[in-house]
Amino acid sequence: MDRKFKVIRGGLDSPLHSDKQFISAYITDTRLMGVTGLYIHWGIEAEDLSSDFHQFFYFDAEEYGFETYKSIVGNNIEELTIIESALLGGLGGRKVKISEDEACYLVQEYAKANGDLSLPMPKGKEEYEFILQKNVVLTVKEKHELMNKMCDPIHSDCQAINYFLMRCFGRDYYAAKYLTNGRIPVDIYSDYPISTLCKNSIDVCDKENNSYLCESLVESNGKYHIIISEIIVDSLLISGFKRRSDFKVSAAEAAMMLSRPEFITVYDLQTDNDEFIDNSLAEITTNAMMTIHENGRLFLAFNKNNAHVNKEVFRLNEDVYGMFYISDFGQMIIASYNVKGILSLEMDLRKSPLKEYLSMTAKYEFKEPVLYEFIQSDFDDFEDFLEFIRE
């Protein structure tokens, strides 16, 4: 039986050295979150080969540049879906079609960023080297049009402010300027290291001037600060940006600020077939990312969009829709931050092939998240862990 799927490792005899014809490409409109996914589809034509070549790229605009590269030769839909979901599924963006020049320009620009940051290129360079060698030049207008395609459309002042502060604290000044009227400084917090905006609260400061006061909790290398800024918005563009005050907070204080309820349902899992479990979860968590832990596997299911940015109180981790933790000791634990979410996760499981192997044993509501604590603990059983923390 012919194999229709093959991951190419490169080499002089690789079919990827054949001529390639551009078929299509898309970019995720997640540039304002600081990360972007790119997909390019090529056709390969040679004397003894006619196939398709699929490339996936993951770019980070803050610290890591051109971070990840994956590829597939052939058209195995299942394998394409798995790679796309694993690499791009958690970004929460739309797929926007772009041209060959736009796609190649992005690869070249992020490759340059790796050079500027002294970062190694991702494995598989022999596969995308032909893109780096292309002569691609975009005009200023074309670069702006490409940026428009890469960015989530702005619908409110709150959305503009949250994205703007994210980009400023991440020292991603190119994207920060994109959100302004072009006449204000964006580097007023350059004395801070590259930081993550964990939470941002927006209050009206001067309604007549459309001025807002923002309280931002930022984190860098395990250290937290509260930063107060005043921002003016005009026609969904940032037109004023002032630094008011800032001070350090402890990790415990930051945890309290980020705390929120967590709803958990515990099941006994009566199968240890990892492939069956993973495939079943893949059916119900199309936007999921799996991480391996000492005593199990955690699946993070992400929202299909980044609507959590469009709020007066922004929390970075609200892009997570739910969590599935599969322990090595026969438990499945699902968690969400609201009632609607946990009920939806339970319904998904009842509709999945796993339903025959699951027996619900308990349901909980906690005032603050505990699942990560359990995952990082030495406990095998969730009930034993709860008894311990209650003492």
Side-chain angles (χ1 to χ4, degrees), residues 66 107-108 111 121 125 128-135:
F66 180 3
V107 177
Q108 293 178 6
M121 296 292 284
K125 186 178 179 182
Y128 55 82
E129 182 71 39
F130 75 98
I131 295 177
L132 302 179
Q133 294 175 354
K134 286 179 177 288
N135 182 23

Side-chain angles (χ1 to χ4, degrees), residues 235-251:
S235 300
L236 300 181
L237 291 173
I238 309 299
S239 59
F241 187 28
K242 293 181 180 179
R243 181 171 179 165
R244 284 289 191 90
S245 62
D246 55 279
F247 52 91
K248 292 181 180 179
V249 294
S250 68

Side-chain angles (χ1 to χ4, degrees), residues 131-330:
I131 295 177
L132 302 179
Q133 294 175 354
K134 286 179 177 288
N135 182 23
V136 179
V137 179
L138 297 186
T139 66
V140 173
K141 181 180 178 182
E142 288 170 337
K143 291 178 185 177
H144 186 73
E145 290 174 349
L146 175 57
M147 190 66 174
N148 285 339
K149 295 177 183 179
M150 296 171 66
C151 294
D152 187 14
I154 303 299
H155 301 291
S156 73
D157 289 359
C158 288
Q159 187 184 19
I161 290 170
N162 287 325
Y163 273 136
F164 176 71
L165 289 173
M166 263 193 275
R167 297 303 91 232
C168 289
F169 292 129
R171 290 194 181 181
D172 180 10
Y173 298 137
Y174 180 81
K177 288 178 182 177
Y178 170 81
L179 292 164
T180 75
N181 62 4
R183 297 188 293 274
I184 65 167
V186 297
D187 59 351
I188 65 174
Y189 292 114
S190 60
D191 54 323
Y192 278 86
I194 292 176
S195 303
T196 299
L197 179 63
C198 302
K199 181 181 179 182
N200 188 54
S201 300
I202 302 171
D203 292 302
V204 175
C205 180
D206 184 340
K207 191 171 184 179
E208 185 176 341
N209 293 321
N210 224 31
S211 174
Y212 299 88
L213 205 61
C214 303
E215 181 181 285
S216 307
L217 173 66
V218 303
E219 179 272 333
S220 178
N221 298 318
K223 297 180 179 180
Y224 294 87
H225 286 82
I226 295 290
I227 299 176
I228 310 298
S229 311
E230 183 180 343
I231 294 178
I232 299 174
V233 185
D234 183 13
S235 300
L236 300 181
L237 291 173
I238 309 299
S239 59
F241 187 28
K242 293 181 180 179
R243 181 171 179 165
R244 284 289 191 90
S245 62
D246 55 279
F247 52 91
K248 292 181 180 179
V249 294
S250 68
E253 290 172 313
M256 289 182 63
M257 293 181 64
L258 295 172
S259 181
R260 54 181 175 161
E262 184 174 66
F263 297 84
I264 285 180
T265 303
V266 183
Y267 298 87
D268 280 337
L269 180 59
Q270 295 156 358
T271 176
D272 57 2
N273 186 328
D274 288 347
E275 183 177 358
F276 170 69
I277 295 170
D278 293 352
N279 289 340
S280 298
L281 287 178
E283 290 183 17
I284 60 177
T285 57
T286 54
N287 297 312
M289 179 178 68
M290 183 183 75
T291 54
I292 304 296
H293 297 268
E294 185 174 352
N295 294 321
R297 309 187 305 288
L298 177 66
F299 291 79
L300 292 176
F302 293 92
N303 291 317
K304 295 180 180 179
N305 56 54
N306 288 307
H308 66 297
V309 181
N310 192 14
K311 293 182 178 181
E312 292 179 355
V313 178
F314 160 80
R315 290 181 175 86
L316 180 63
N317 59 5
E318 283 188 346
D319 61 341
V320 175
Y321 165 68
M323 293 166 280
F324 297 79
Y325 180 66
I326 316 299
S327 81
D328 295 335
F329 305 96

Side-chain angles (χ1 to χ4, degrees), residues 337-366:
Y337 298 122
N338 55 70
V339 174
K340 182 179 178 181
I342 197 68
L343 293 177
S344 180
L345 296 181
E346 291 174 358
M347 180 64 72
D348 288 341
L349 286 176
R350 285 197 292 270
K351 294 179 180 178
S352 79
L354 285 169
K355 65 181 179 181
E356 303 296 333
Y357 304 90
L358 291 172
S359 176
M360 185 186 297
T361 60
K363 289 171 66 72
Y364 299 98
E365 177 184 349
F366 299 97

